[in-house]
Amino acid sequence: MNYTLHQLQVFLKIVQTQSVTKASEELHLTQPAVSIQLKKFQEQFDIPLTELVGRKIYITDFGREISEAAENIINQVYAINYKTLAYKGQLTGRLKISVVSTGKYVMPYFLTDFIQEHSGIALLMDVTNKNKVLESLENNEVDFALVSILPATLNIEKLDLLQNKLYLVGSTAIKAKKGIGTKEIFKDLPLIFREKGSGTRQTMESFFQNNSISVLKKMELTSNEAVKQALMAGLGYSIMPLIGIKNELHNHELQIIPIKGLPIVTTWSLIWLKGKKHSPVSSSFLDYLRREKTQIVQDKFSWYEQY
């Protein structure tokens, strides 16, 4: 056996994502590079780790056992690194946060100074849709989750960070009719939705239901970036969080369509399971946020006030 730590990390990520493509994206490697590492790792074993059926990769029972061992090895390597830094008196450990997809425009600003101040901390931030975020929180796989809609079924504690404003948005190339009613504006417009499980979609559907609005033409896309590109191409309109369209508004690629009942205002909140025993790292991060969040909002999100 002559496998490397890098091969263990690559294989573990393939198992976690069930995809070579997704693993390559999360590891910031090319797909061929990941495939080569998987091939080299497989060559160390006589028993298959994976099976390829059609274009989909499946992990064998043996592969899952190896992935568990790989995770244990990687955790031990982290522990060695942490012990070295802790011996020097530094705050060390892993900070694990699961973030809903639009939250990627929010969370980094609340992390930067803390991570820079404590070089011994390894940040693991998973960006995914609301359902998966809550699943990882419920399974106690992360320290915190960032959401804009609080879960009704979990017993949690929270720290509010920032307002979340959602507007009806479309391309500046489309001339919106002035004075048109809320219900009428949706009769002719194709409306672009996020996928099921998205917090933005849940907010949109609640708005339509509460205002008894029927949407005749629909389109569904699986990321905020895909929705933005579709809007800029003039394919329709969508209700989107302001936080994710700053540059497009500034560059006049998108416009806010003023209609009654919008913006919808929610709150970006960092949440954790009630009664959770925080590690020294996660406890220090909470203390940092309580001290600094107001200043961070003033410094990084002052542009919010003009909308």
Side-chain angles (χ1 to χ4, degrees):
M1 295 287 177
N2 192 29
Y3 44 78
T4 66
L5 178 63
H6 180 56
Q7 288 169 356
L8 292 176
Q9 291 170 324
V10 168
F11 180 64
L12 181 59
K13 185 59 67 175
I14 291 171
V15 173
Q16 291 171 340
T17 61
Q18 301 285 297
S19 165
V20 170
T21 301
K22 290 179 181 178
S24 65
E25 291 172 354
E26 294 193 17
L27 291 169
H28 305 291
L29 297 171
T30 64
Q31 188 171 330
V34 170
S35 297
I36 289 170
Q37 292 304 314
L38 175 61
K39 182 176 182 293
K40 289 182 177 179
F41 189 57
Q42 174 64 78
E43 289 171 353
Q44 310 292 317
F45 305 94
D46 295 329
I47 304 172
L49 300 168
T50 63
E51 293 178 331
L52 197 61
V53 180
R55 299 181 64 181
K56 184 172 177 59
I57 193 169
Y58 294 88
I59 313 302
T60 65
D61 290 341
F62 177 68
R64 294 200 175 276
E65 289 191 24
I66 296 300
S67 74
E68 291 176 8
E71 186 170 16
N72 289 334
I73 292 169
I74 292 167
N75 286 338
Q76 288 301 313
V77 171
Y78 278 125
I80 291 170
N81 294 337
Y82 298 150
K83 288 180 187 296
T84 303
L85 292 168
Y87 193 77
K88 297 178 181 179
Q90 297 184 32
L91 182 64
T92 63
R94 285 192 286 180
L95 180 62
K96 296 183 284 186
I97 304 176
S98 189
V99 177
V100 294
S101 55
T102 311
K104 66 187 176 186
Y105 302 107
V106 176
M107 199 68 236
Y109 294 102
F110 290 92
L111 283 162
T112 301
D113 288 346
F114 180 76
I115 296 299
Q116 289 179 350
E117 183 180 345
H118 302 288
S119 59
I121 293 174
L123 172 66
L124 303 176
M125 189 170 79
D126 182 34
V127 180
T128 183
N129 70 29
K130 184 190 65 130
N131 284 355
K132 292 181 180 178
V133 166
L134 296 183
E135 182 181 335
S136 63
L137 186 70
E138 184 175 15
N139 293 336
N140 201 29
E141 296 169 353
V142 294
D143 299 306
F144 303 107
L146 182 71
V147 297
S148 61
I149 302 173
L150 296 177
T153 58
L154 293 180
N155 196 7
I156 60 161
E157 297 180 74
K158 70 183 179 78
L159 179 65
D160 293 338
L161 299 180
L162 180 72
Q163 272 194 344
N164 182 38
K165 302 177 184 178
L166 297 97
Y167 290 88
L168 182 67
V169 180
S171 169
T172 50
I174 300 176
K175 302 300 180 184
K177 298 178 182 178
K178 294 184 178 180
I180 193 167
T182 302
K183 293 184 180 181
E184 287 77 12
I185 200 170
F186 295 111
K187 285 183 178 179
D188 300 319
L189 296 178
L191 202 66
I192 303 173
F193 284 78
R194 283 285 307 280
E195 79 284 3
K196 290 186 181 297
S198 158
T200 299
R201 178 174 181 137
Q202 182 180 340
T203 302
M204 285 176 65
E205 290 178 335
S206 296
F207 173 76
F208 294 130
Q209 183 177 355
N210 294 338
N211 290 276
S212 301
I213 297 171
S214 297
V215 179
L216 302 179
K217 300 178 182 179
K218 296 182 181 180
M219 189 182 304
E220 183 176 302
L221 299 174
T222 58
S223 74
N224 281 317
E225 292 303 316
V227 172
K228 281 199 295 188
Q229 293 301 319
L231 294 180
M232 288 188 288
L235 287 178
Y237 289 82
S238 186
I239 293 177
M240 293 197 71
L242 178 62
I243 194 71
I245 56 174
K246 174 186 176 183
N247 292 336
E248 288 76 16
L249 291 173
H250 179 75
N251 295 332
H252 304 291
E253 296 169 308
L254 293 176
Q255 62 176 324
I256 290 173
I257 313 299
I259 62 170
K260 186 179 179 181
L262 295 179
I264 302 165
V265 180
T266 60
T267 302
W268 288 110
S269 299
L270 197 70
I271 64 174
W272 59 94
L273 292 177
K274 190 175 181 64
K276 181 176 177 60
K277 294 181 179 179
H278 290 293
S279 68
V281 169
S282 59
S283 181
S284 294
F285 182 55
L286 266 184
D287 291 341
Y288 164 80
L289 287 179
R290 289 179 176 126
R291 290 193 315 269
E292 303 294 338
K293 68 168 187 171
T294 301
Q295 190 63 50
I296 293 170
V297 171
Q298 290 176 356
D299 292 345
K300 305 299 183 182
F301 300 98
S302 58
W303 62 273
Y304 237 51
E305 300 304 320
Q306 63 184 290
Y307 294 98

